[in-house]
Amino acid sequence: MNFDPGAVTPAVATLYTPRRPVDLVATMAPHRRGRGDPTARADSAGLWRTQRTPLGPATLLLRQGADGVVDARAWGPGAEWCIARVPALLGDGDDWTGLDLGGHTALAEVRRRNPGVWLGSSGLVFEALIPAIIEQKVTVLEAHRAWYRLIRQHGDAAPGPAPEGMMVSPGPERWRLVPSWDWHRAGVDPRRSRTAVTVAVVAASLDRPVDAVTASRRLQSLPGVGRWTAAEVTQRSHGDPDSVSVGDYHLAAQVGWALTGSPVDDDGMLELLEPFAGHRQRVVRLILGSGYRAPRRGPRMTVQDHRSH
């Protein structure tokens, strides 16, 4: 693959050949907060993502060829760290072999049609935590507006030849200094802003390498961080295969409609997902990625094929 994303020579570059098919767009989708996210972008050059790594800010560009090989290039102080984590980010450690979909024909068909969707791990807990806190108990639109505004006000310009307007999210020290009026103007109430400032104080301890279960437990020990927030974080930071976003406004009903043809509450969702213990997030990803939408009335999930759209 030959392409020139700009005049700046990449600090670090590699060609990553996955050991199995990888759907780059679908696998990376959870790491982007809507189309206007200043930390993520898709254009003709590929998928862009900024990260504040343990070594400093970085811009990562991923582009996949017809042969499945991923051309990865990174700029900035954290470039080497980003490149080293490309396989994990694209789900190289995600193992679906123990997931039995034999009794769920529709889910099995979704997986058959989407063999390249994996749960990737960014390795960055704090980076995923702040937007998750902003998303607590508000609509997606409200949360995205707040995230975009705060990043543009307090983030750093993306290193390298990133598209115009791309930013790196602030580090913990900067989040601690965001004034109350900026939180307010962004639509973030005092409870959520207080939680964000509190977690910024202990950010270094949160990013210490531990397994997803330990990371979730640590997160839920923090004031203002509950089960939903911890799940939203570990799904991205660890590629957690079993976490479920309990407390989500729509998820329980969607899982219920998909698996039984009727909406359920959180307890009902957990009961339905119990046979998939160890793989519950994988099943949720299949449901959310199936194209299925809960009907007003109707049967359980039928697979929708969007490949020609």
Side-chain angles (χ1 to χ4, degrees):
M1 289 176 291
N2 296 310
F3 70 101
D4 181 7
V8 179
T9 301
V12 184
T14 191
L15 290 176
Y16 168 55
T17 304
R19 57 191 175 89
R20 56 196 182 183
V22 171
D23 184 328
L24 181 63
V25 174
T27 298
M28 289 294 295
H31 300 283
R32 183 179 183 184
R33 256 75 186 193
R35 293 179 179 272
D37 189 347
T39 69
R41 190 76 56 85
D43 63 14
S44 59
L47 297 185
W48 298 86
R49 169 174 163 79
T50 65
Q51 296 178 292
R52 188 169 293 277
T53 79
L55 301 181
T59 299
L60 175 66
L61 172 61
L62 302 171
R63 178 165 175 170
Q64 190 170 34
D67 57 358
V69 175
V70 177
D71 190 331
R73 306 185 181 198
W75 298 261
E80 289 189 7
W81 190 95
C82 280
I83 291 297
R85 284 204 58 86
V86 164
L89 186 63
L90 299 184
D92 184 63
D94 186 23
D95 183 5
W96 291 54
T97 55
L99 175 58
D100 182 7
L101 298 173
H104 297 269
T105 305
L107 287 177
E109 180 63 11
V110 172
R111 185 58 183 164
R112 187 189 70 80
R113 293 181 179 179
N114 300 276
V117 178
W118 306 102
L119 306 184
S121 59
S122 71
L124 298 170
V125 172
F126 181 73
E127 178 187 79
L129 179 55
I130 295 294
I133 290 169
I134 292 172
E135 291 168 357
Q136 291 175 347
K137 299 186 182 302
V138 295
T139 66
V140 171
L141 180 60
E142 290 173 294
H144 285 177
R145 282 177 181 165
W147 175 245
Y148 301 167
R149 179 173 181 135
L150 289 166
I151 295 300
R152 292 185 181 116
Q153 283 184 305
H154 301 285
D156 296 321
E164 184 178 356
M166 285 200 74
M167 308 287 290
V168 183
S169 62
E173 298 82 6
R174 188 70 191 92
W175 281 116
R176 291 171 60 186
L177 296 175
V178 174
S180 59
W181 52 86
D182 280 356
W183 290 107
H184 176 72
R185 289 169 182 163
V188 179
D189 60 73
R191 181 191 60 79
R192 286 180 290 150
S193 63
R194 185 166 53 250
T195 299
V197 172
T198 299
V199 302
V201 175
V202 296
S205 65
L206 296 177
D207 277 324
R208 291 172 186 159
V210 294
D211 60 67
V213 173
T214 303
S216 178
R217 185 169 60 248
R218 285 182 178 177
L219 287 166
Q220 292 182 69
S221 72
L222 300 172
V225 177
R227 186 174 182 180
W228 180 90
T229 305
E232 289 290 306
V233 172
T234 60
Q235 288 162 19
R236 295 167 172 83
S237 63
H238 288 72
D240 188 347
D242 198 44
S243 66
V244 182
S245 300
V246 175
D248 190 273
Y249 280 137
H250 306 292
L251 183 61
Q254 190 157 359
V255 169
W257 276 113
L259 297 181
T260 70
S262 300
V264 296
D265 59 12
D266 281 333
D267 288 340
M269 173 179 67
L270 292 176
E271 184 177 349
L272 289 173
L273 293 175
E274 179 58 30
F276 305 106
H279 304 274
R280 294 179 298 176
Q281 180 56 30
R282 295 185 176 115
V283 171
V284 169
R285 282 291 300 276
L286 289 177
I287 292 172
L288 296 180
S290 67
Y292 171 79
R293 294 296 179 268
R296 293 181 181 177
R297 295 185 178 84
R300 68 184 63 183
M301 182 175 73
T302 56
V303 177
Q304 300 181 41
D305 190 347
H306 298 292
R307 288 173 295 178
S308 62
H309 293 186

